[in-house]
């Protein structure tokens, strides 16, 4: 067939080439071509089961569909003379077996519910792959943290030295953030995993279709009920793009620190050569280019999110062609996020922590001043605000020792810390980084015990999450296998 099968009835065949190009969705449709064949097979099995289509035509169509399933789609179905891959596949089938049989496949459905189903099928796979990569990233952070529970580093607020912590505590901060990203994607999966097939244009169909049957064949968790929402709802795509944007935002914050920490005036981390580039003129340069591109990709994915929301926000119910413009942003957001996580996994796994430099910086900027104030409260009965002011005044004077603290206490509160029993030894102990870190044993704190408990809980959750993903992938695989077996049985009867 040399023309789009949808034209020649209500509309004429001719249109300017720029209009064909303008309306074509073929670039984005390459993401859903394989899913479209699966949807066609499920729909045809249902038509046959419900006796909506005659068995001779059903077998002819199924033979063509099984060949497409086994061998892949030819480039001809993506030809720009068709508005989309759905029309391209229908034209291919009609070319093979004629319009009298091939033209019966589309009974009881529309491109509107067809494309929504195809996108959800592909999106399920992408979400599970993305979740697998996030789970691997979390495990890398847990393993890295386990080796660094007693390695001290400065913690920052306002990018200034604040309190000492450990490398493990810092790493588990990101593990926890990525765990939430994992959970958000898992929540989105449950909403994506609803089948809209059978909604037709928006008002369902008068054919006696069985929506539950096609949903089961395609491995969906259930049927998306209201048929108008089936073809008009795009919040599932907005949700996934938003999840990607949040995930990339977390990655961007990490990359910002990697870029800063790998600089020569910080030297907290050394990146493997394969994740860096050099200068064309400065022979000494080792630039963290992967981290920089990743930081920029976060902006690109956020742009996809903004574009997607802008496309959908004013559309009346139900289907509008504007929705076609959503898909390139969805697939770009997913592709950029997936490749970024894969590269990040390798970059973190091969990074080297400069423990000496971190330990040097952990004691700078009076990072243990908070613990010293806490000691005055816990051991000597001062109100926290009083202790805070005393230690703060001593920092302002420029020295944290017994003499300066005593002077500050008399000036700020009219009391003698010496008379209360404070000694030079107690002050020195309070200013030790190890004292500040080890005393913070509450859940989620930086002490080695607290961090190790956090790691153990996270590793257990990681194992459960992997099992959940594995179960879903096995279910989707077995559903497809069962559907193809039924398709082959049809043509052999």
């Amino acid at each position: 067939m040399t023309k789009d099968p949808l034209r020649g009835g209500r509309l004429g065949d001719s249109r300017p080439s720029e209009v064909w190009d303008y309306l074509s969705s073929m670039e984005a449709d390459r993401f859903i071509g394989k899913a479209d064949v699966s949807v066609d097979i499920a729909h045809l099995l249902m038509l046959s089961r419900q006796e909506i289509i005659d068995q001779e035509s059903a077998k002819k169509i199924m033979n063509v569909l099984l060949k497409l399933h086994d061998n892949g789609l030819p480039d001809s179905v993506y030809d720009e003379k068709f508005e989309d891959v759905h029309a391209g596949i229908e034209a291919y089938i009609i070319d093979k077996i004629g319009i009298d049989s091939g033209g019966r496949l589309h009974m009881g459905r529309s491109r509107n519910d067809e494309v929504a189903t195809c996108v959800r099928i592909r999106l399920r796979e992408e979400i599970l792959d993305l979740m697998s990569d996030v789970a691997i990233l979390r495990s890398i952070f847990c393993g890295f943290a386990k080796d660094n529970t007693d390695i001290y580093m400065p913690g920052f607020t306002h990018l200034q030295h604040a309190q000492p912590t450990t490398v493990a505590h810092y790493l588990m901060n990101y593990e926890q953030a990525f765990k939430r990203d994992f959970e958000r994607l898992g929540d989105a999966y449950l909403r994506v995993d609803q089948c809209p097939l059978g909604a037709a244009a928006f008002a369902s169909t008068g054919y006696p279709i069985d929506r539950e049957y096609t949903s089961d064949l395609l491995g969906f968790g259930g049927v998306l009920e209201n048929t108008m929402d089936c073809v008009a709802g795009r919040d599932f795509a907005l949700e996934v793009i938003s999840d990607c944007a949040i995930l990339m935002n977390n990655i961007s914050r990490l990359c910002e620190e990697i870029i800063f920490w790998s600089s020569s005036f910080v030297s907290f981390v050394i990146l493997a050569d394969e994740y860096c580039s050099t200068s064309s003129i400065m022979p000494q340069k080792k630039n963290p280019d992967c981290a920089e591109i990743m930081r920029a990709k976060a902006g690109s994915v956020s742009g996809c999110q903004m574009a997607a929301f802008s496309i959908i926000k004013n559309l009346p119910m139900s289907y509008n062609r504007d929705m076609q413009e959503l898909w390139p942003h969805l697939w770009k957001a997913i592709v950029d996020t997936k490749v970024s996580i894969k590269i990040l996994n390798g970059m973190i796994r091969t990074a080297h922590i400069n423990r000496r430099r971190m330990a040097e910086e952990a004691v700078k900027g009076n990072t243990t001043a908070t613990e010293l104030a806490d000691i005055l409260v816990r051991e000597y009965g001062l109100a926290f605000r009083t202790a805070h002011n005393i230690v703060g005044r001593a920092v302002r004077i420029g020295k944290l020792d017994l003499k300066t603290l005593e002077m500050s206490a008399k000036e700020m509160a009219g009391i003698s810390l010496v008379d209360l029993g404070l000694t030079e030894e107690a002050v020195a102990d309070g200013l030790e980084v190890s004292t500040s870190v080890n005393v913070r044993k509450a859940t989620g704190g930086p002490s080695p015990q607290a961090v190790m408990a956090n790691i153990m809980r996270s590793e257990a959750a990681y194992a459960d999450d992997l099992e959940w993903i594995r179960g879903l992938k096995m279910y989707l695989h077995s559903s497809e296998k069962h559907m193809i077996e039924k398709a082959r049985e049809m043509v052999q009867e």
Side-chain angles (χ1 to χ4, degrees):
M1 179 174 285
T2 58
K3 65 178 183 178
D4 190 314
L6 274 65
R7 299 190 70 84
R10 172 64 177 83
L11 302 175
D13 294 334
S14 64
R15 61 173 24 158
S17 59
E18 61 268 22
V19 175
W20 283 112
D21 293 340
Y22 195 67
L23 294 179
S24 174
S25 61
M26 283 305 187
E27 185 175 349
D29 283 354
R30 289 185 179 274
F31 282 89
I32 61 171
K34 180 176 178 292
D36 193 275
V37 175
S38 295
V39 170
D40 287 346
I41 291 173
H43 183 66
L44 181 57
L45 284 170
M46 183 274 297
L47 292 178
S48 175
R49 183 171 181 262
Q50 297 298 105
E51 298 182 347
I52 298 171
I53 189 172
D54 66 277
Q55 289 305 300
E56 183 182 355
S57 295
K59 288 182 179 182
K60 288 181 179 179
I61 298 171
M62 190 63 81
N63 267 314
V64 179
L65 290 175
L66 285 173
K67 288 177 182 177
L68 291 176
H69 173 271
D70 295 340
N71 303 322
L73 291 173
D75 286 339
S76 62
V77 304
Y78 295 108
D79 195 296
E80 294 292 340
K81 66 188 174 187
F82 308 120
E83 287 189 2
D84 51 46
V85 70
H86 318 294
I89 291 174
E90 184 175 357
Y92 180 86
I93 294 170
I94 291 172
D95 268 351
K96 293 295 182 183
I97 62 175
I99 195 169
D100 189 56
S101 292
R104 297 177 186 273
L105 175 60
H106 208 61
M107 291 188 294
R109 73 174 185 186
S110 162
R111 281 188 299 179
N112 296 355
D113 61 330
E114 184 179 5
V115 67
T117 309
C118 293
V119 169
R120 286 172 182 265
I121 289 173
R122 177 61 187 267
L123 199 49
R124 289 186 312 191
E125 299 172 4
E126 296 292 344
I127 290 173
L128 291 178
D129 287 345
L130 191 52
M131 291 177 73
S132 296
D133 291 337
V134 174
I136 292 170
L137 180 61
R138 288 163 51 200
S139 73
I140 292 171
F141 274 98
C142 284
F144 212 161
K146 203 180 275 188
D147 295 334
N148 290 279
T149 58
D150 58 351
I151 305 302
Y152 302 125
M153 62 171 283
F156 301 91
T157 63
H158 309 277
L159 204 55
Q160 299 183 55
H161 289 61
Q163 291 177 276
T165 186
T166 64
V167 173
H169 187 239
Y170 166 81
L171 293 169
M172 292 307 292
N173 142 67
Y174 276 109
E175 190 282 332
Q176 187 165 283
F178 291 130
K179 183 176 186 294
R180 289 194 299 275
D181 290 318
F182 180 95
E183 291 168 346
R184 270 187 287 269
L185 288 166
D187 290 342
Y189 181 91
L190 298 177
R191 283 178 280 279
V192 170
D193 191 31
Q194 299 292 306
C195 186
L197 191 62
F202 77 87
S204 187
T205 176
Y207 294 100
I209 63 172
D210 186 341
R211 295 189 62 201
E212 286 73 18
Y213 181 64
T214 49
S215 175
D216 289 342
L217 285 173
L218 293 167
F220 279 100
V223 171
L224 191 62
E225 191 163 351
N226 183 277
T227 57
M228 184 176 289
D229 181 54
C230 286
V231 303
R234 291 296 183 265
D235 49 300
F236 73 94
L238 299 181
E239 182 176 5
V240 174
I241 296 174
S242 297
D243 290 347
C244 288
I246 295 170
L247 171 54
M248 286 300 294
N249 189 69
N250 287 332
I251 289 175
S252 181
R253 295 184 71 178
L254 173 61
C255 287
E256 171 68 18
E257 291 181 317
I258 289 173
I259 292 163
F260 182 55
W261 286 9
S262 65
S263 64
S264 58
F265 56 85
V266 178
S267 297
F268 277 5
V269 65
I270 300 170
L271 297 175
D273 287 356
E274 52 264 42
Y275 297 98
C276 299
S277 298
T278 189
S279 167
S280 63
I281 186 172
M282 297 172 283
Q284 84 282 8
K285 292 300 296 293
K286 180 179 178 179
N287 302 320
D289 283 15
C290 282
E292 290 174 340
I293 290 294
M294 217 170 285
R295 187 174 57 180
K297 290 285 187 185
S300 296
V301 175
S302 291
C304 291
Q305 180 192 33
M306 181 58 68
F309 273 84
S310 299
I311 289 166
I312 301 300
K313 69 181 181 66
N314 286 335
L315 298 186
M317 292 296 169
S318 56
Y319 180 81
N320 298 271
R321 191 65 178 268
D322 312 50
M323 294 175 180
Q324 178 176 300
E325 283 294 294
L326 171 65
W327 306 133
H329 300 294
L330 172 63
W331 304 128
K332 176 174 172 53
I334 289 173
V335 169
D336 283 356
T337 303
K338 283 180 68 176
V339 71
S340 294
I341 288 191
K342 286 185 181 297
I343 293 173
L344 181 61
N345 284 345
M347 188 165 64
I348 296 298
R349 186 185 290 112
T350 57
H352 173 71
I353 294 292
N354 189 337
R355 298 178 175 184
R356 179 187 60 80
R357 278 289 299 129
M358 286 187 164
E360 288 174 355
E361 292 295 326
V363 300
K364 292 183 179 180
N366 299 300
T367 57
T368 54
T370 301
E371 178 54 25
L372 185 56
D374 286 342
I375 287 173
L376 296 180
V377 175
R378 291 195 304 263
E379 304 297 331
Y380 302 99
L382 272 64
F384 176 75
R385 189 55 59 209
T386 301
H388 182 280
N389 287 334
I390 290 171
V391 174
R393 177 55 62 89
V395 170
R396 182 178 178 184
I397 292 170
K399 202 166 187 181
L400 283 175
D401 58 14
L402 181 60
K403 180 180 178 181
T404 310
L405 288 167
E406 177 73 0
M407 180 172 59
S408 299
K410 289 179 178 179
E411 179 182 348
M412 298 297 297
I415 60 174
S416 169
L417 296 178
V418 173
D419 289 347
L420 291 174
L422 185 65
T423 64
E424 284 283 8
E425 291 77 14
V427 173
D429 183 62
L431 293 175
E432 282 290 330
V433 168
S434 59
T435 300
S436 179
V437 170
N438 292 338
V439 75
R440 285 163 167 75
K441 300 177 183 179
T443 301
S447 75
Q449 302 98 307
V451 173
M452 187 54 69
N454 184 186
I455 293 171
M456 299 302 290
R457 285 189 292 270
S458 295
E459 286 182 333
Y462 161 74
D464 290 341
D465 291 339
L466 279 185
E467 189 60 31
W468 185 75
I469 294 172
R470 190 177 299 113
L472 286 173
K473 287 186 173 182
M474 288 178 60
Y475 175 71
L476 294 180
H477 176 74
S478 64
S479 296
E480 181 181 22
K481 182 180 178 182
H482 173 69
M483 181 179 72
I484 297 303
E485 287 174 352
K486 292 187 75 66
R488 296 194 194 283
E489 289 172 3
M490 172 195 282
V491 299
Q492 291 169 1
E493 289 177 351

